[in-house]
Amino acid sequence: MRQSTYLVPTLREAPAEAEAVSHKLMLRAGFIRQLAAGIYTYLPLGWRVLRKVETIVREEMDRAGAQEILMPAMQPAELWQESGRYQVYGPELIRLKDRHDREFALGPTHEEVVTTLVRNEVRSYRKLPINLYQIQTKFRDERRPRFGLLRGREFLMKDAYSFDLDWEGLDRSYWAMYDAYNRIFTRCCLNFRAVEADAGAIGGEGGTHEFMVLADIGEDTIATCTNCDYAANLEKAEAAPGRQEYQEVTVSKYEKFHTPAIRTIEQLTESLGIEPQQLIKTLIYLADGQPVAVVVRGDHEVNEIKVKNYLGADHVELADAETTQKVTGAPVGFAGPVGLTIPILVDQEVAAMLFGISGANERDYHLKNVRPGRDFPLEKTGDFRNVVEGDRCPRCEGTLKFYRGIEVGHVFKLGTKYSEILGAKYLDANGQEQVMIMGCYGIGISRVLSAIVEQHHDENGMIWPLPVAPFHVHLIPVSVKDETQMKLAEELYGRLRSAGVEVLLDDRDERPGVKFKDADLIGIPIRLTVGKGAAEGRVEYKERKTGKQQELTVDDACTRIVELVKASV
Ligand code: ATP
Ligand code: MG
């Protein structure tokens, strides 16, 4: 491609609204342009990278035996009503009407469409298992679209759906996708982890994994073991229970003491000169409208997902001040487990305490020498807290460390959630009707672009790894007015291209400084500069990543490049 007529509108400064490095660089390097919040045009360079990632995804999905299809973005509302998601999905679902006033939605995901398709087309066990995928534009009216392609409202996703005869079959389909995802993200040169995630009521053990690219801009917290390969997102992460030496102690009866105007853990620890782990913290929640108390140590936070799963509730939220007052008889800040008549969920770390300080359920009072098990019941003990860094790994002797992650992919065991409700059934070998067992598997293809840039850049711009680079080689004649240079550049351009190398030829009549700056910003991995050495058939070879520079003969440069490109696919 010739840069003089190619649409690469580079900018010296990034627009002020761009926060994430990847967003700034993609705007500056002319890869994308925003049309509306969370809605982008891919310019030629951005589109080329998108296609490369798409190709990798497609190759690995095909290799795993999935079949590509393309489903409509526009979907009748009835379908969503049938699955019950028309209301549940909420404002993220973009709704519209046609000229006959019929309601439609723009697909944020395709469980409904694909399940109906398979329901109608697949009836016999002989046709199963089947895994259908597509690469398609998705629409989600995100509350906070941001960070460029990382969280868009219109974005490109690969979504796949597997249909199996039974749960063992689903297991095979699931792990085949898991393996394919590992290959995909490895080929995209990403530093990532597959982490256990919360599957809610369905899925069971290993029911869902998220593929997380490690990056500070990531919106998710993941806990990984420093010793083994345990990794889970914060919602799901568990810790081995704290070790406690058995102690034969007698704890005297709990005692009320005056704590005027002290409402927070910080105020309490400060005024008493104690550590937060000596405190028993009590929070009142509403689980499907019913009040429950959740008790964790003062230095821990309640994990609402764990509470929700334990209770089998649909919805869990912190109770308002009024409810708390009604349930505890005291304003917020003085709740404690002693004497409560609502269910009390006790975190295992609290159950292991010998005694602690808690609220007294009375304004301006706390209790000391509160003994779990003696002073409040431990029937509902479990893991109800978020892990913290330094906690012990649930699998080995290692400790947990936190990272921030960008979720680029997600594999999920759906079970019969959609096949049941939408009637996707097959006839087994005995002619009996059975419900298909489903899995779904997504990759945010456009999000992957940003994730790659988050991990591959420096202060001068992007640094594309060869397998996903928009072009393999940036060929730069220092002066287009110099005939010798231009002749050699043209010769190289033809020769490399006929060997299957993708070349961007900077044939612009610009100062060398401008060309080199743009080249660094765009981040094509190999730069060939045709300058003074042109007369002797020599060119300058430079790696964008290391900055290593070397003068080579044209032949040597071509041989090296062709080898590198071959090895990269
Ligand atoms: P998130 O927690 O980031 O909102 P999600 O759980 O809603 O993601 P899924 O429904 O599992 O995501 O979608 C599959 C994949 O699509 C995600 O793993 C992610 O890579 C991508 N994705 C989801 N939402 C967006 C978005 N708004 N912009 C770009 N990619 C997205
Ligand atoms: Mg989402």
Side-chain angles (χ1 to χ4, degrees):
M1 195 54 65
R2 290 167 193 278
Q3 208 169 332
S4 56
T5 51
Y6 202 47
L7 185 59
V8 189
T10 54
L11 307 169
R12 209 164 300 152
E13 305 285 339
E17 74 273 10
E19 294 169 71
V21 176
S22 56
H23 189 195
K24 284 186 193 154
L25 288 176
M26 286 212 229
L27 289 170
R28 281 189 56 207
F31 278 52
I32 56 168
R33 285 294 180 261
Q34 181 177 303
L35 181 66
I39 302 177
Y40 292 87
T41 299
Y42 302 95
L43 272 52
L45 289 177
W47 183 80
R48 286 182 70 96
V49 179
L50 198 72
R51 291 302 303 268
K52 293 247 169 124
V53 174
E54 233 183 89
T55 301
I56 290 172
V57 170
R58 189 171 273 123
E59 283 174 6
E60 295 300 340
M61 291 304 291
D62 291 347
R63 189 211 296 256
Q67 305 172 33
E68 186 168 3
I69 60 172
L70 183 58
M71 292 180 270
M74 193 156 156
Q75 311 174 359
E78 292 91 72
L79 203 50
W80 284 77
Q81 275 148 358
E82 209 181 327
S83 74
R85 281 210 288 186
Y86 200 55
Q87 294 317 319
V88 179
Y89 218 94
E92 225 173 272
L93 187 68
I94 295 182
R95 296 148 211 258
L96 61 158
K97 282 185 179 159
D98 72 3
R99 64 168 73 201
H100 307 293
D101 237 20
R102 279 191 288 252
E103 287 182 68
F104 284 82
L106 293 181
T109 174
H110 278 66
E111 281 83 5
E112 280 79 1
V113 180
V114 79
T115 309
T116 327
L117 176 82
V118 172
R119 168 184 75 193
N120 296 340
E121 308 305 329
V122 179
R123 295 292 297 151
S124 162
Y125 72 96
R126 289 195 193 85
K127 295 278 187 194
L128 295 175
I130 192 169
N131 186 340
L132 299 171
Y133 81 96
Q134 63 172 348
I135 293 176
Q136 193 222 27
T137 301
K138 293 283 186 283
F139 298 86
R140 293 185 184 180
D141 200 356
E142 298 276 358
R143 195 166 49 87
R144 286 189 72 194
R146 58 182 184 154
F147 301 150
L149 302 182
L150 281 177
R151 187 168 295 285
R153 295 198 295 168
E154 175 176 331
F155 58 96
L156 195 66
M157 196 202 284
K158 185 284 300 176
D159 46 329
Y161 306 87
S162 65
F163 297 81
D164 274 280
L165 296 169
D166 49 30
W167 286 87
E168 291 77 55
L170 170 59
D171 228 41
R172 280 191 294 276
S173 298
Y174 183 86
W175 292 108
M177 285 295 104
Y178 181 94
D179 291 342
Y181 278 33
N182 275 307
R183 286 195 298 271
I184 288 167
F185 298 124
T186 304
R187 286 181 63 186
C188 289
C189 305
L190 288 165
N191 178 13
F192 68 97
R193 298 276 188 289
V195 311
E196 292 178 15
D198 174 63
I202 36 176
E205 194 57 36
T208 173
H209 286 85
E210 289 168 351
F211 287 76
M212 294 284 189
V213 168
L214 307 185
D216 289 338
I217 194 84
E219 293 176 318
D220 294 283
T221 300
I222 59 182
T224 63
C225 177
T226 48
N227 184 48
C228 73
D229 62 5
Y230 178 75
N233 73 14
L234 193 57
E235 279 171 16
K236 167 86 177 176
E238 292 163 21
R243 267 177 282 216
Q244 174 134 60
E245 303 300 324
Y246 178 74
Q247 286 182 44
E248 190 74 57
V249 290
T250 31
V251 179
S252 43
K253 188 169 169 30
Y254 66 79
E255 228 179 281
K256 200 160 86 176
F257 65 106
H258 199 213
T259 48
I262 286 184
R263 284 170 175 241
T264 66
I265 298 281
E266 293 77 48
Q267 291 168 339
L268 199 59
T269 49
E270 223 162 85
S271 76
L272 300 178
I274 54 167
E275 294 299 320
Q277 51 266 41
Q278 293 170 265
L279 299 175
I280 296 170
K281 180 161 78 176
T282 307
L283 293 153
I284 309 298
Y285 280 87
L286 287 172
D288 294 337
Q290 294 302 311
V292 294
V294 184
V295 182
V296 293
R297 231 166 54 184
D299 57 330
H300 289 153
E301 298 296 331
V302 173
N303 180 315
E304 292 178 13
I305 305 265
K306 291 179 180 176
V307 170
K308 184 171 157 229
N309 290 345
Y310 179 87
L311 295 169
D314 289 325
H315 189 68
V316 165
E317 62 181 343
L318 210 51
D320 51 277
E322 203 181 312
T323 308
T324 303
Q325 170 86 45
K326 210 162 100 197
V327 167
T328 66
V332 174
F334 299 99
V338 181
L340 285 183
T341 52
I342 55 171
I344 305 173
L345 273 50
V346 182
D347 184 70
Q348 56 199 14
E349 298 299 326
V350 171
M353 287 168 80
L354 292 171
F355 57 91
I357 293 171
S358 77
N361 295 325
E362 185 178 334
R363 180 189 283 274
D364 295 345
Y365 283 96
H366 279 78
L367 301 179
K368 60 183 164 192
N369 295 332
V370 172
R371 177 138 208 201
R374 180 191 69 184
D375 301 329
F376 60 90
L378 298 180
E379 277 96 65
K380 296 180 175 20
T381 296
D383 173 14
F384 300 120
R385 68 172 179 106
N386 285 334
V387 297
V388 292
E389 273 194 295
D391 272 342
R392 230 161 29 94
C393 171
R395 301 267 169 81
C396 76
E397 291 295 306
T399 51
L400 298 181
K401 187 172 160 46
F402 284 7
Y403 291 94
R404 302 293 287 174
I406 300 169
E407 183 195 316
V408 286
H410 191 184
V411 293
F412 198 99
K413 289 185 183 172
L414 286 170
T416 57
K417 183 170 176 183
Y418 296 96
S419 44
E420 186 90 63
I421 203 162
L422 297 168
K425 298 179 181 157
Y426 67 94
L427 295 176
D428 67 15
N430 305 316
Q432 297 291 311
E433 200 164 65
Q434 307 280 359
V435 180
M436 296 181 197
I437 313 292
M438 290 176 61
C440 67
Y441 318 93
I443 291 182
I445 294 193
S446 42
R447 183 180 281 184
V448 165
L449 265 61
S450 297
I452 296 172
V453 177
E454 288 294 334
Q455 287 193 340
H456 299 272
H457 68 267
D458 63 13
E459 63 282 4
N460 296 320
M462 307 194 262
I463 306 174
W464 290 100
L466 207 49
V468 287
F471 289 92
H472 302 130
V473 174
H474 208 160
L475 180 57
I476 306 180
V478 173
S479 164
V480 292
K481 297 208 179 82
D482 183 313
E483 268 179 38
T484 322
Q485 285 181 22
M486 271 320 279
K487 192 161 162 276
L488 186 60
E490 289 289 353
E491 189 190 312
L492 263 167
Y493 184 55
R495 186 163 159 189
L496 285 169
R497 290 202 330 150
S498 55
V501 177
E502 298 165 10
V503 187
L504 181 62
L505 171 64
D506 191 350
D507 58 344
R508 295 175 302 162
D509 186 10
E510 286 281 2
R511 282 179 290 119
V514 171
K515 293 186 173 193
F516 294 145
K517 240 186 151 59
D518 276 352
D520 279 346
L521 181 59
I522 293 167
I524 293 171
I526 301 164
R527 182 202 293 180
L528 274 190
T529 306
V530 183
K532 286 197 199 82
E536 295 93 57
R538 300 180 78 82
V539 291
E540 202 174 85
Y541 178 100
K542 187 175 176 186
E543 265 178 37
R544 172 67 183 88
K545 187 172 169 195
T546 58
K548 264 205 316 223
Q549 214 161 306
Q550 210 177 347
E551 201 173 69
L552 294 178
T553 63
V554 167
D555 282 346
D556 286 350
C558 284
T559 313
R560 183 184 295 186
I561 289 166
V562 171
E563 266 168 23
L564 278 174
V565 169
K566 268 205 192 116
S568 77
V569 286

